Amino acid sequence: MLVQGAILCLALNIYHEARGEPLIGQIAVGTVTMNRAKWDVKEICPVVYAPKQFSWTSLKKNPHSHPPAHDKSWQRAQELANRIINGEVEDVTKGATYFHAHRVKPGWRHAFERTVVIGNHIFYASR
């Protein structure tokens, strides 16, 4: 059951943060989440729902609600989360633990090293 819950949390994060991105961008968001969790399935949900870490979790609508089952982006996010947790996908972010969309310029970005740009996101790791 623990792994199923972790897959759900990871899939929700991939879906809400990157569903409009190409596959590699979705993988990148998933691996950032895993890097923050130190690849420990017990830590995935706490990482996803940590305060002010992922914008979708602080929306007024219920951040635990599921997208419609027939949504192809949701199905893809679930499959990808399963593959990532099972170690079938490599970290394409070069160890990144943070990212943001091009359209925003968070102040914290200067404290980290930019590792890669994928789709609409810029990824960062500790220096």
Side-chain angles (χ1 to χ4, degrees):
M1 190 63 176
L2 174 67
V3 173
Q4 290 300 346
I7 290 170
L8 176 61
C9 288
L10 185 58
L12 284 167
N13 209 36
I14 292 167
Y15 176 83
H16 288 293
E17 292 288 336
R19 72 178 169 265
E21 293 294 306
L23 178 62
I24 192 168
Q26 293 177 22
I27 290 169
V29 167
T31 55
V32 162
T33 309
M34 295 301 290
N35 288 342
R36 285 192 189 185
K38 297 181 175 40
W39 291 81
D40 181 347
V41 294
K42 295 185 301 279
E43 297 300 319
I44 295 170
C45 291
V47 161
V48 169
Y49 289 103
K52 299 181 181 182
Q53 295 302 303
F54 297 103
S55 58
W56 71 272
T57 62
S58 58
L59 298 174
K60 291 190 192 289
K61 67 179 184 170
N62 182 354
H64 301 286
S65 65
H66 298 240
H70 64 276
D71 184 331
K72 291 202 184 306
S73 296
W74 174 234
Q75 293 169 1
R76 183 180 193 183
Q78 291 175 91
E79 292 167 9
L80 189 53
N82 191 46
R83 289 180 53 214
I84 291 169
I85 286 175
N86 285 319
E88 299 171 17
V89 177
E90 290 187 36
D91 181 357
V92 295
T93 70
K94 301 178 185 170
T97 51
Y98 295 92
F99 67 91
H100 66 81
H102 285 286
R103 70 181 180 278
V104 297
K105 306 263 187 266
W108 56 256
R109 73 188 188 279
H110 300 297
F112 299 95
E113 181 179 341
R114 183 186 290 200
T115 60
V116 66
V117 176
I118 299 172
N120 291 311
H121 292 113
I122 303 169
F123 295 84
Y124 300 84
S126 295
R127 292 186 187 266

